[in-house]
């Protein structure tokens, strides 16, 4: 019957087209521009496109590498670097842990990440270096970001 859609009139509404099985469709993962803390920039690939990363990983990188207050529209994002610069070697690990937990608190509370820790090391010059070890709960994958002070 013309105009009744793929189904005979009476079995389904006219024009009804059942969607394919939901299991057969996969939505693409969301992508954000990758922020590289080592160069403090957003790198591009050979095609001139921004390198992509999952938005949760981008937010973690920004929250633990930029100075707090440096993003005008998000003044509470970042680390208070002055606290790290004046911390003694004896209190540095606790200060790093406090700053990382504070900067990631909203993401932890939202369930976006599980923070494993922020171990402190020294880089090749002897300057403090800490890592942020976490699980991206949306991807169910463990991650590590290195941050030099």
């Amino acid at each position: 019957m013309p105009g009744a859609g793929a189904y005979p009139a009476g079995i389904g509404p006219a024009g009804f087209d059942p969607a394919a099985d939901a299991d057969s469709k996969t939505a693409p993962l969301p992508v954000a521009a990758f922020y590289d803390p080592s160069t403090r920039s957003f790198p591009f690939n050979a095609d001139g496109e921004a390198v992509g990363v999952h938005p949760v990983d981008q937010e973690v990188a920004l929250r633990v590498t930029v100075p707090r207050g440096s993003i005008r529209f998000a003044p509470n994002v970042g680390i208070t670097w002055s606290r790290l610069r004046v911390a003694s070697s004896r209190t540095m690990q606790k200060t790093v842990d406090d700053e990382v937990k504070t900067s990631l608190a909203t993401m932890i509370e939202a369930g976006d990440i599980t923070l494993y820790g922020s171990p402190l090391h020294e880089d090749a010059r002897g300057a403090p270096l800490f890592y942020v070890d976490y699980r991206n709960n949306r991807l169910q994958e463990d991650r590590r970001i290195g941050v030099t002070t």
Side-chain angles (χ1 to χ4, degrees), residues 19-27:
D21 186 11
D23 292 338
S24 67
K25 293 183 178 181
T26 57

Side-chain angles (χ1 to χ4, degrees), residues 26-144:
T26 57
L29 289 173
V31 178
F34 170 65
Y35 175 74
D36 184 354
S38 65
T39 62
R40 296 181 180 176
S41 65
F42 295 90
F44 293 88
N45 63 21
D47 296 330
E49 299 169 337
V51 175
V53 68
H54 192 273
V56 168
D57 298 321
Q58 182 209 40
E59 186 173 351
V60 170
L62 288 169
R63 286 184 174 276
V64 299
T65 60
V66 301
R68 185 176 312 248
S70 65
I71 301 175
R72 185 174 300 184
F73 61 88
N76 294 325
V77 170
I79 295 278
T80 307
W81 289 103
S82 58
R83 280 193 68 207
L84 298 179
R85 289 191 185 105
V86 299
S88 68
S89 58
R90 201 173 32 140
T91 63
M92 179 64 88
Q93 182 65 64
K94 182 174 179 357
T95 304
V96 166
D97 290 344
D98 289 346
E99 282 297 318
V100 169
K101 285 176 187 170
T102 299
S103 69
L104 297 175
T106 56
M107 297 185 77
I108 294 167
E109 290 167 10
D112 290 332
I113 65 167
T114 301
L115 180 63
Y116 293 141
S118 46
L120 183 63
H121 300 278
E122 288 185 355
D123 68 10
R125 304 167 313 188
L129 162 72
F130 65 91
Y131 293 98
V132 177
D133 296 326
Y134 68 97
R135 181 168 191 82
N136 179 332
N137 292 331
R138 293 193 185 188
L139 295 178
Q140 296 298 311
E141 293 178 7
D142 294 337
R143 300 282 201 245
R144 172 175 261 197

